[in-house]
Amino acid sequence: MAASDERVPAGLDISRPNIARVYDYTLGGKDNFAIDRQVAELSHQVMPAEAGARGNRAFLRRVVRYLVTEAGIHQFIDIGSGLPTQGNVHEVAHAIEPSARVVYVDNDPMVLVHARAILGRTDATEVITADVRRPEEILSDPTVTGFLDFDRPIGLLLFAILHHVTDEEDPEGIARTLRDALPPGSYMALSHFHNPGGANPRYAAMAVEAEKVFSENLGTGRFRTRDEILAYFGDFGLVEPGLVPYHEWRPAFGDPQLPEAMHHLAVGGAARKK
């Protein structure tokens, strides 16, 4: 299916934008519709969203490489994985450790259909439809419990997802539930929209405007403070260099250069459970 020519799967509502499809368009994908492109273009008007999305993917790839090569993590849960694009978790992990296992989780049924079509049925990847707002359902899903070994360390990936959880939906509680289920030696890594506040009023104002665009058009998109984002890690020990702008986390040659705004409007990090 090529969503770019508006062929629509049965039962799919394309009158409302979808986070996964907006992100797909921002990354240059074709699995999106007019309403998704409209919202993406609105976000581009208030912040360099395309550069931010590409920076986020590069950061994700570096985190996965670190977890496999240096932390010895060979199984992952990627929540809010979005539509398949180049440089997915399993592609990065399998280039280093072919036996690594990955469960992709997203609440968009379109993700499940596309992922299964592209990935097929393998011994190393699984895909489920579930919502991060109901973490207990993810943790108890038979695919997750049967495919991953919870007696061994797991890499939990929450990239560009918790900022789409409203304050009322308790993102800190969601993160706590997921953290508590991980065995010792596991890691949690995340990326998140950031409001620098008084430390940089110019970009704080940009964060407020961007949040308004996301909230009015997608229903979610919170730019949180550093302390709010740090709280998601709980008592996990942060991996150096800590919670930082994407480009500062163990940079690699060839990664995209980010505009100045994205040095302030998004941060990420990884942490280990003792």
Side-chain angles (χ1 to χ4, degrees):
M1 183 190 72
S4 58
D5 60 13
E6 307 302 317
R7 285 178 286 174
V8 183
L12 187 67
D13 181 7
I14 63 166
S15 66
R16 297 170 60 87
N18 172 274
I19 294 168
R21 299 195 306 262
V22 170
Y23 191 50
D24 172 73
Y25 173 71
T26 302
L27 286 170
K30 297 180 179 179
D31 296 311
N32 50 77
F33 299 96
I35 188 65
D36 307 306
R37 298 190 285 274
Q38 178 182 340
V39 172
E41 292 299 335
L42 285 172
S43 70
H44 296 171
Q45 293 175 19
V46 294
M47 66 178 286
E50 180 176 354
R54 296 186 184 281
N56 181 67
R57 290 297 291 187
F59 170 46
L60 169 66
R61 291 192 291 267
R62 296 198 304 275
V63 167
V64 173
R65 289 190 196 103
Y66 168 82
L67 292 180
V68 177
T69 58
E70 299 190 42
I73 300 295
H74 294 163
Q75 49 182 358
F76 295 87
I77 306 176
D78 183 5
I79 301 179
S81 56
L83 289 156
T85 61
Q86 291 185 345
N88 279 300
V89 173
H90 74 280
E91 293 174 323
V92 178
H94 289 166
I96 306 164
E97 177 48 66
S99 67
R101 292 191 164 202
V102 180
V103 176
Y104 292 109
V105 183
D106 202 280
N107 69 345
D108 181 1
M110 187 171 170
V111 170
L112 180 67
V113 173
H114 277 249
R116 286 183 172 170
I118 292 172
L119 301 175
R121 305 296 294 180
T122 75
D123 294 333
T125 58
E126 285 284 358
V127 188
I128 67 169
T129 300
D131 197 315
V132 70
R133 296 168 180 83
R134 297 188 291 277
E136 296 88 352
E137 294 181 12
I138 296 173
L139 295 168
S140 63
D141 186 283
T143 296
V144 174
T145 58
F147 194 64
L148 301 180
D149 181 357
F150 277 77
D151 290 327
R152 296 171 48 236
I154 292 171
L156 169 64
L157 307 176
L158 295 167
F159 279 71
I161 183 63
L162 289 178
H163 55 226
H164 290 299
V165 177
T166 67
D167 295 346
E168 293 73 21
E169 290 165 330
D170 190 17
E172 188 175 346
I174 290 169
R176 184 187 314 113
T177 297
L178 293 168
R179 288 197 318 267
D180 289 349
L182 297 176
S186 294
Y187 286 77
M188 181 174 81
L190 61 83
S191 62
H192 199 291
F193 291 154
H194 175 243
N195 186 327
N200 196 311
R202 174 189 174 192
Y203 290 114
M206 187 180 290
V208 170
E209 183 62 25
E211 182 173 298
K212 181 180 178 182
V213 168
F214 281 111
S215 296
E216 290 179 352
N217 294 279
L218 276 176
T220 57
R222 286 279 283 112
F223 285 69
R224 294 189 167 99
T225 67
R226 177 179 177 81
D227 286 345
E228 287 176 314
I229 300 167
L230 277 172
Y232 298 147
F233 292 106
D235 62 355
F236 282 25
L238 280 168
V239 174
E240 290 295 333
L243 183 66
V244 295
Y246 299 157
H247 70 289
E248 293 182 12
W249 203 92
R250 300 172 180 260
F253 177 78
D255 281 345
Q257 296 295 309
L258 297 183
E260 177 67 21
M262 295 313 302
H263 295 196
H264 305 276
L265 295 177
V267 294
R272 182 179 186 273
K273 185 172 186 175
K274 298 178 181 178

